[in-house]
Amino acid sequence: MSKRAAAALAAGAMVLTLTACGSGGGGGGGSADKGSGHKLVLGFSQVGAESGWRTANTKSVQEAAKKAGIELKFSDAQQKQENQIKAIRSFIQQKVDVIAFSPVVESGWDTVLKEAKDAHIPVVLTDRAVDSKDESLYASFLGSDFVAEGKAAGDWLVKEYAAGSGDVNIVQLEGTTGSAPANDRKSGFADAVKGQSRFKVVASQTGDFTRAKGKEVMQAFLKSQPKIDVLYAHNDDMALGAIQAIEEAGKKPGTDIKIVSVDGVKDAFTAMSQGKINYDVECNPLLGDQLMDLVKKVKAGEQVPRRIKTEEGTFTPEQATAALPNRQY
Ligand code: GYE
């Protein structure tokens, strides 16, 4: 039986018990709801397991749910929107208390979000945003400012080349097509170099946030582009894949081709300490505790902010090397 139905039954049973005066028509038969200790049930649809960032994020969510005493129904969408839509519909059917999800792409959510709303199940967005115009379709969005991240990467580049005046040829490895971090990291970066025609993005293609695709696309860039000065990768995993491609092509990553990336995962910090990545913009995956807090508040009907931004920094190789021993992800 669903929690909600069980709760309704239990409430009905209480009224019955009162009128029937101790006839003991208990409504609690076999349900996990013990007395008043109803465990909040959260349905969580994760993007996939495409990157080190994602693995850390999943772990954070799972650990935080346990700590908060929340029953987590976890579903991995393997980077496919249709899987997420299916998972959300299944959560609705199971009548979970709250649904949280990290949308693979930004668009195409209105129908399923409307279904959740009609079922009176609040939805919290975590990590990635949707482009729905109707703000009543979700309670809050917890995650990073991806435009600011892209801007920070571009600002670094402008400073790095401040002394020269020649053209700077940039190749860009984009995240998953249509995803909020790919869209925003691209536009934030473009904004930072806008109006300075010497910064030329000579090739830009998706690497789907994975090492394998990052490597594959970088190999193609190396073949098609006669001169590459800089690689801007929308995440560390693609940068790490690209580093392999660059090395296999007999070039030195970080020297022959400068690399600026986003995330700040441990493996990237290691690469930075070896001089292979020049700058990394942090994106914090440890959202679990904040998410559970938000979920509880939403369920309790408390007012929550529509947008909660994650705090994050940037790292030079020296800073990354110093942070490496204590890096959690
Ligand atoms: O940067 C990337 C992951 O949505 C912020 O998704 C997240 C991004 C992260 O695959 O590594």
Side-chain angles (χ1 to χ4, degrees), residues 1-320:
M1 192 193 317
S2 76
K3 304 280 172 199
R4 198 175 278 269
L9 236 183
M14 253 181 72
V15 175
L16 265 179
T17 318
L18 281 178
T19 43
C21 213
S23 70
S31 150
D33 302 347
K34 286 190 207 92
S36 58
H38 168 81
K39 218 177 183 193
L40 195 155
V41 181
L42 170 66
F44 180 80
S45 168
Q46 178 63 291
V47 168
E50 73 282 4
S51 65
W53 190 99
R54 189 63 56 196
T55 310
N57 180 247
T58 293
K59 192 162 167 254
S60 165
V61 169
Q62 287 171 335
E63 286 176 358
K66 203 176 275 173
K67 207 164 62 180
I70 289 175
E71 185 184 330
L72 182 69
K73 290 185 185 295
F74 183 89
S75 177
D76 177 336
Q78 301 185 320
Q79 285 185 283
K80 292 202 174 73
Q81 181 172 35
E82 67 257 36
N83 291 347
Q84 286 200 301
I85 292 175
K86 264 191 222 149
I88 293 169
R89 291 207 165 117
S90 148
F91 293 149
I92 296 172
Q93 249 173 18
Q94 295 173 64
K95 297 192 166 56
V96 301
D97 294 302
V98 179
I99 293 171
F101 79 116
S102 172
V104 178
V105 291
E106 282 191 278
S107 58
W109 298 104
D110 287 29
T111 306
V112 73
L113 289 180
K114 181 83 181 11
E115 288 166 23
K117 188 182 173 188
D118 291 345
H120 305 289
I121 300 175
V123 174
V124 173
L125 302 178
T126 173
D127 161 32
R128 297 184 183 178
V130 299
D131 66 1
S132 298
K133 298 275 172 303
D134 181 355
E135 287 217 334
S136 76
L137 294 177
Y138 59 92
S140 184
F141 166 40
L142 162 70
S144 307
D145 182 339
F146 301 135
V147 177
E149 290 171 353
K151 175 101 175 27
D155 285 345
W156 170 79
L157 190 72
V158 172
K159 261 204 212 134
E160 183 72 8
Y161 285 90
S165 59
D167 278 358
V168 179
N169 286 357
I170 303 157
V171 294
Q172 177 171 235
L173 280 169
E174 300 179 24
T176 301
T177 305
S179 70
N183 291 341
D184 294 352
R185 286 174 187 164
K186 187 175 181 174
S187 70
F189 183 86
D191 214 42
V193 300
K194 197 170 64 192
Q196 307 190 53
S197 57
R198 55 189 288 244
F199 295 105
K200 293 189 164 43
V201 178
V202 292
S204 187
Q205 209 177 302
T206 182
D208 215 11
F209 282 132
T210 68
R211 277 188 205 207
K213 287 250 181 74
K215 181 176 180 185
E216 197 182 298
V217 177
M218 190 67 203
Q219 281 170 335
F221 285 164
L222 286 160
K223 279 193 192 125
S224 65
Q225 297 302 322
K227 178 179 169 273
I228 300 173
D229 299 304
V230 174
L231 161 67
Y232 168 41
H234 287 186
N235 84 338
D236 285 343
D237 282 77
M238 293 190 295
L240 291 163
I243 285 172
Q244 287 177 24
I246 295 168
E247 286 176 336
E248 283 171 19
K251 294 197 162 140
K252 265 187 108 178
T255 309
D256 297 333
I257 297 177
K258 290 191 179 167
I259 301 179
V260 51
S261 177
V262 187
D263 271 357
V265 297
K266 240 188 207 160
D267 284 357
F269 278 15
T270 303
M272 285 178 94
S273 71
Q274 298 162 345
K276 297 179 182 182
I277 295 178
N278 306 78
Y279 198 65
D280 209 353
V281 179
E282 185 177 40
C283 180
N284 187 359
L286 307 180
L287 305 176
D289 289 332
Q290 267 178 298
L291 177 62
M292 297 312 145
D293 198 44
L294 194 56
V295 162
K296 281 185 178 170
K297 286 188 174 146
V298 165
K299 178 61 191 169
E302 281 178 43
Q303 195 77 28
V304 295
R306 295 259 345 135
R307 175 77 173 101
I308 303 170
K309 277 189 199 169
T310 324
E311 296 283 324
E312 39 222 3
T314 54
F315 290 84
T316 61
E318 296 70 35
Q319 290 165 331

